[in-house]
Amino acid sequence: MSRIHLFKTTFLCVIGAGLAGLVAAAEWPQWRGPHRDGAVSSFAAPKVWPENPKQVWRTTVGEGHSSPLVSGDRVYLHTRQGENETVMCLELKTGKLLWQDRYPAEYTMNPAARSHGKGPKSTPILNQGRLYTLGISGILSCYEAATGRRFWQKSFGQRFKDTSPLYGTAMSPLIDQGVLVVHVGGHDQGALLALDAASGQEKWSWSGDGPGYASPVVLEVEGTRQIVTQTQQNIVGLSATDGRLLWKIPFTTEYVQNIVTPLVYRQWVIVSGLGKGVKALRIVRQENGWYAQEVWSNPDVSMYMNSPVLKEQLLFGLSHRNKGQFFCLDANTGKVLWTSPGRQGDNAAMLRAGDWLISLTNEAQLIVGKAGPDKFQVWKQYSIADSPTWAHPVLVGSQVLIKDLSTLTLWSF
């Protein structure tokens, strides 16, 4: 091989690797990111945080709390426009609409949840070139991500009296090894379903409890893959292979609001709920079956809608106590390492990017802090929208996508 040819080959490989890195850096395919844990590996934090971020673009997209997804140079979003649920794809660089699909989705709100609107609340998922959405009334759809062509759509009105829980469907679908997992049905009657992600054909179901509002995660212990989630009245672990119930612990919150997505740490599951404190459960197999053993429990902090993040052995979250209070626990022991002043808000969608904690409160405050064990450190705080922000932010390179009441905005730091 000549030196010139070798140089060209090396140069192209380097460029290709760089482009691949850029594409990989722009992958946010599901609820809470690639691993469903709020961890961001690709964020390019500025050397100096600006006084204000720069707005790159802003576009009206519709209402709802569903979080945007990013794949390469595209953004995907599920919203409501009038009495239709709308699925759309935008160009990341410009916000230009690339494709859109609508379908009717009438929904009557529970009066207790009227301020949250008619959804959708569930975040879609991208997998193998397909996009899956779950509407507030339980309508499940599968699209070709490139074109918006709808492959299939399912509703469950003939199977269940109610097709969504009391305050609307909020769980975000999971895909594990080609299997799509969703919790469908309504209060006191529902099923955790596993469907072939390509065809939508049902593979197994578990009908032991109605759906909660939390989203499932995958835990593997001793070679057994488990689907772990909060249901209406329990925390459960099901076999990912056939849906068998492996273990269950009763878990009920005031006003039937099991919301917090479990967080996997070691072979433990960290859980919380309104008024329930924070607990770590070790999942173990014994001769007569599987068990969830409590490792530690801390009643002093407790999560309501916030789902926590980890940095090594440090656990960060927002407690609903004191009208919203950030905290840091030692994930090995449950010991409180610090708490912030109170009155931080009803909810904070949290991300951990390296040493940075980035939290978006429902009052449109983007709080940038250090993910350290010593104290609550706020580096910068930005007012990022003019309306409530319940959807999770998405970090892309040195930019952040923010979905507020009805618009989506790309900001640059």
Side-chain angles (χ1 to χ4, degrees):
M1 182 181 293
S2 70
R3 288 185 178 181
I4 293 175
H5 184 72
L6 179 63
F7 171 78
K8 287 181 177 178
T9 302
T10 304
F11 177 77
L12 290 173
C13 287
V14 170
I15 293 298
L19 290 174
L22 287 175
V23 172
E27 294 299 314
W28 197 260
Q30 62 179 331
W31 167 243
R32 303 193 77 212
H35 306 292
R36 297 176 78 88
D37 60 0
V40 184
S41 61
S42 58
F43 179 59
K47 292 182 179 179
V48 178
W49 288 89
E51 285 303 308
N52 292 291
K54 178 183 177 181
Q55 181 177 301
V56 180
W57 53 258
R58 182 182 185 185
T59 184
T60 299
V61 291
E63 298 187 0
H65 302 338
S66 180
S67 302
L69 305 180
V70 174
S71 182
D73 60 355
R74 293 189 167 201
V75 181
Y76 299 88
L77 194 63
H78 191 199
T79 69
R80 171 174 288 273
Q81 297 177 0
E83 291 304 315
N84 294 315
E85 287 187 336
T86 304
V87 184
M88 66 188 72
C89 175
L90 310 172
E91 186 178 64
L92 175 60
K93 184 178 179 180
T94 64
K96 175 185 175 182
L97 182 66
L98 300 178
W99 62 255
Q100 182 173 265
D101 181 61
R102 292 189 180 95
Y103 57 87
E106 293 185 6
Y107 179 72
T108 301
M109 290 183 291
N110 185 307
R114 188 165 290 141
S115 63
H116 284 267
K118 294 184 177 182
K121 299 178 180 179
S122 168
T123 293
I125 187 167
L126 281 163
N127 184 265
Q128 298 293 312
R130 295 194 175 200
L131 175 70
Y132 303 84
T133 64
L134 183 62
I136 195 167
S137 61
I139 297 174
L140 179 65
S141 307
C142 173
Y143 293 90
E144 184 176 49
T147 65
R149 179 165 67 100
R150 193 193 302 168
F151 287 121
W152 50 260
Q153 187 172 78
K154 297 177 181 292
S155 57
F156 302 92
Q158 293 184 345
R159 188 164 178 173
F160 302 105
K161 177 184 175 182
D162 298 312
T163 58
S164 63
L166 294 177
Y167 312 114
T169 299
M171 71 81 59
S172 297
L174 166 74
I175 291 182
D176 180 53
Q177 299 184 339
V179 176
L180 174 68
V181 179
V182 291
H183 205 158
V184 298
H187 190 68
D188 291 336
Q189 186 188 31
L192 203 65
L193 298 183
L195 309 173
D196 180 86
S199 67
Q201 182 178 356
E202 186 172 320
K203 298 178 73 69
W204 56 255
S205 70
W206 177 78
S207 55
D209 198 5
Y213 307 92
S215 300
V217 296
V218 175
L219 169 69
E220 185 166 335
V221 181
E222 297 183 23
T224 299
R225 294 180 73 79
Q226 305 183 17
I227 306 298
V228 179
T229 193
Q230 289 194 28
T231 62
Q232 181 181 319
Q233 298 183 21
N234 300 280
I235 298 173
V236 301
L238 306 181
S239 166
T241 303
D242 57 18
R244 284 180 301 113
L245 178 66
L246 301 178
W247 56 270
K248 177 176 72 172
I249 62 171
F251 196 86
T252 56
T253 51
E254 190 174 9
Y255 305 116
V256 197
Q257 296 185 89
N258 283 357
I259 297 174
V260 179
T261 298
L263 184 64
V264 173
Y265 176 61
R266 298 178 171 179
Q267 291 185 343
W268 304 354
V269 180
I270 296 174
V271 298
S272 187
L274 179 63
K276 304 293 285 189
V278 182
K279 305 176 189 293
L281 306 174
R282 179 187 289 112
I283 310 305
V284 297
R285 175 158 45 189
Q286 297 179 354
E287 290 184 3
N288 57 344
W290 290 88
Y291 294 90
Q293 299 176 340
E294 187 174 290
V295 181
W296 53 257
S297 179
N298 188 319
D300 297 327
V301 293
S302 191
M303 288 171 276
Y304 176 27
M305 290 175 279
N306 165 259
S307 294
V309 296
L310 281 165
K311 181 194 174 188
E312 298 169 347
Q313 80 281 5
L314 302 177
L315 178 74
F316 301 93
L318 178 78
S319 174
H320 62 78
R321 304 193 191 283
N322 298 311
K323 298 186 182 298
Q325 189 172 35
F326 291 103
F327 66 82
C328 175
L329 301 185
D330 183 328
N332 293 321
T333 65
K335 178 184 176 182
V336 174
L337 300 180
W338 55 254
T339 56
S340 76
R343 299 183 179 276
Q344 299 291 332
D346 292 331
N347 183 49
M350 298 180 69
L351 302 171
R352 199 272 299 171
D355 292 331
W356 297 103
L357 271 182
I358 299 177
S359 304
L360 178 64
T361 74
N362 58 291
E363 297 172 347
Q365 297 300 301
L366 191 69
I367 301 172
V368 179
K370 279 288 189 177
D374 299 324
K375 61 181 179 179
F376 178 61
Q377 293 180 280
V378 175
W379 232 249
K380 284 290 182 180
Q381 183 164 335
Y382 303 111
S383 293
I384 206 78
D386 298 324
S387 61
T389 45
W390 291 96
H392 238 276
V394 173
L395 293 172
V396 183
S398 59
Q399 300 176 315
V400 61
L401 281 163
I402 301 291
K403 168 68 172 68
D404 60 21
L405 178 64
S406 60
T407 68
L408 183 67
T409 306
L410 180 67
W411 298 91
S412 181
F413 294 111

